[in-house]
Amino acid sequence: MRQSGKESPMKKVFIFGYYGFHNIGDEAILEAIVAEFQKVMPEVSLTALSYKAAETSRRYSIEAVSRNHFVEVVRSIGRSHLVMSGGGSILQDVTSSRSLLYYLGIIFLAKILGKKVAFYGNGFGPITRTPNRWLVKHIINQVDLLTVRDEESREVMERLGISRPIHVTADAAFTLQILPESEPVQLDQVQRKVGISVRRWKNQAVYLPILAAFADALIEKGYTVFFLPMQPPADTQVSKELMNMMKYPAIILETGDTPHKMIQVIAGMDFLIGMRLHSLIFSAIAGVPMIGLSYETKITSFLKLVQQPCAGDVETLTYEQLTKTTDAFLVNQEEYRRKVKTHQQELKKKAAENALMIRSFLLEGEESK
């Protein structure tokens, strides 16, 4: 991204998020952000915070800094005109407080250094611990521009006492395109296909056997079951554990951490059963109907947004509940497909608003010079 002219010095943006961990959803977010910046702000220089900085730099042709090199992180923030939280659900304390405090620390440091700070279609919450809620309220109220990906995130922010204007857009990944690639060989000549995305979570000793029995029932109905790891190797391992509980064979399809390939795979499915949020988002991008398995409110919030069914919370999931939801879904599968395609276009437009709002904010006053 080159400087456009002497009269308008190159702007530098530091992006932080859960990058470099081979999570396909978070890599999709960063890929979409880079592409949107190249489209509407080619004069802006991007630097991303990453667990694997060299890999991120090569992959996206941008600068990157290791999240473990504190001095370099401080220098990158100091050189930036804007510090930006680049999507995802990084501001929550359900998994741990450590990552929440880390990201809040970046925002706090940026404000100490006098930097503008913005959110780019973030998910938000839940924040459950009282000290964390106090910190979030006081630090996020210093953020200059807030865009979030859904109404649920806005409502959680407002309940915490965040008084800044909050703009509801959509997840950045919705601006990704389906590439005209051929399907993997494993999908050739398979007539009825269902994709299943699972991850480790509380009470997995209960929900994994339920999913195994349910996958067997789908195979008995004539479907081929494909497990789709969204964050290998962790999701690959839990998929293998699930398959070991099954009577019939299934297939694990790994695409690495390549969002476009996973979207293409999902596009070839009849429907998706998803636990990972971005498996559901990818399904919507591909125009494929879905059934969600909730482990956090972000799952149910997204399913409501695209009018797709939820089979329940994985911590209390029953085989009967899952079967009943799926039977009703299959009767109305084409209606669900129509709904998801309708919302797909709406969310793509909203996701594109993120970059346009950032551009207006970042370059405020520049065009009048």
Side-chain angles (χ1 to χ4, degrees):
M1 297 184 182
R2 295 184 176 87
Q3 184 173 328
S4 59
K6 293 181 180 179
E7 71 282 1
S8 181
M10 179 182 286
K11 296 286 188 178
K12 297 180 182 293
V13 175
F14 179 82
I15 311 172
F16 65 92
Y18 189 71
Y19 309 134
F21 290 94
H22 292 176
N23 181 299
I24 301 181
D26 290 287
E27 295 306 319
I29 289 170
L30 183 55
E31 182 171 333
I33 289 173
V34 171
E36 287 299 290
F37 266 77
Q38 289 173 341
K39 185 189 304 181
V40 304
M41 290 173 280
E43 72 281 7
V44 172
S45 172
L46 300 178
T47 299
L49 183 72
S50 175
Y51 181 65
K52 295 186 176 180
E55 181 181 292
T56 296
S57 182
R58 286 194 305 270
R59 179 169 178 172
Y60 303 108
S61 299
I62 61 174
E63 294 182 23
V65 61
S66 171
R67 61 191 289 127
N68 295 321
H69 293 171
F70 180 72
V71 173
E72 286 302 314
V73 171
V74 174
R75 286 175 180 167
S76 293
I77 292 173
R79 291 192 293 261
S80 299
H81 297 88
L82 175 68
V83 174
M84 191 176 85
S85 177
S89 300
I90 58 176
L91 295 176
Q92 49 84 18
D93 64 3
V94 174
T95 51
S96 77
S97 292
R98 182 184 299 177
S99 62
L100 171 68
L101 297 176
Y102 179 85
Y103 295 122
L104 288 176
I106 289 177
I107 297 170
F108 185 65
L109 175 61
K111 297 312 295 183
I112 287 176
L113 295 175
K115 304 301 177 181
K116 293 180 178 180
V117 178
F119 282 13
Y120 191 110
N122 277 73
F124 187 83
I127 311 294
T128 60
R129 297 170 176 84
T130 300
N132 292 345
R133 294 168 70 87
W134 185 89
L135 278 172
V136 165
K137 174 183 175 180
H138 287 275
I139 293 177
I140 303 303
N141 267 325
Q142 299 178 55
V143 173
D144 300 279
L145 176 65
L146 293 169
T147 72
V148 295
R149 68 186 176 196
D150 51 45
E151 286 288 344
E152 177 76 19
S153 294
R154 180 185 62 78
E155 291 169 4
V156 172
M157 281 185 166
E158 289 179 345
R159 286 198 297 269
L160 279 174
I162 294 168
S163 55
R164 304 286 296 175
I166 303 167
H167 308 276
V168 179
T169 55
D171 191 282
F174 272 103
T175 58
L176 291 177
Q177 304 293 324
I178 302 178
L179 297 181
E181 301 172 354
S182 59
E183 291 183 353
V185 174
Q186 295 97 318
L187 297 185
D188 289 351
Q189 300 178 347
V190 177
Q191 296 299 315
R192 305 177 74 192
K193 296 162 283 191
V194 56
I196 299 179
S197 165
V198 294
R199 62 161 294 170
R200 295 196 185 281
W201 196 250
K202 304 165 191 173
N203 211 29
Q204 67 182 42
V206 173
Y207 72 77
L208 288 185
I210 290 172
L211 288 174
F214 181 72
D216 279 330
L218 287 173
I219 293 170
E220 289 174 349
K221 290 180 179 180
Y223 287 96
T224 300
V225 171
F226 296 91
F227 289 99
L228 310 176
M230 294 291 291
Q231 186 173 10
D235 289 7
T236 306
Q237 183 58 40
V238 74
S239 296
K240 288 178 179 177
E241 292 172 17
L242 197 160
M243 286 172 60
N244 288 336
M245 301 175 188
M246 294 172 59
K247 296 187 297 183
Y248 305 111
I251 299 168
I252 296 178
L253 282 182
E254 292 190 276
T255 64
D257 58 350
T258 310
H260 287 290
K261 289 184 179 178
M262 183 59 80
I263 293 170
Q264 186 66 30
V265 165
I266 293 174
M269 299 292 160
D270 290 282
F271 66 98
L272 177 90
I273 298 172
M275 190 172 169
R276 289 274 190 188
L277 174 62
H278 276 86
S279 72
L280 303 173
I281 288 175
F282 286 4
S283 195
I285 293 171
V288 172
M290 70 203 77
I291 298 170
L293 300 170
S294 179
Y295 68 95
E296 284 185 358
T297 55
K298 64 182 180 181
I299 304 298
T300 52
S301 179
F302 178 74
L303 292 167
K304 289 177 183 177
L305 190 62
V306 292
Q307 294 183 283
Q308 303 292 295
C310 180
D313 191 307
V314 292
E315 294 183 43
T316 57
L317 187 68
T318 66
Y319 181 83
E320 292 73 22
Q321 183 182 18
L322 181 54
T323 301
K324 182 179 179 181
T325 301
T326 305
D327 288 346
F329 169 85
L330 291 174
V331 171
N332 298 289
Q333 187 172 343
E334 290 311 307
E335 177 61 16
Y336 282 116
R337 189 182 304 276
R338 184 193 65 77
K339 287 178 179 179
V340 80
K341 287 183 176 180
T342 298
H343 291 294
Q344 167 202 73
Q345 296 304 314
E346 296 171 358
L347 292 168
K348 183 176 179 178
K349 290 178 183 177
K350 286 186 176 181
E353 292 174 8
N354 287 310
L356 296 174
M357 292 178 72
I358 292 291
R359 184 185 189 282
S360 297
F361 173 70
L362 180 62
L363 305 180
E364 188 175 14
E366 289 294 313
E367 296 176 354
S368 62
K369 291 181 180 180

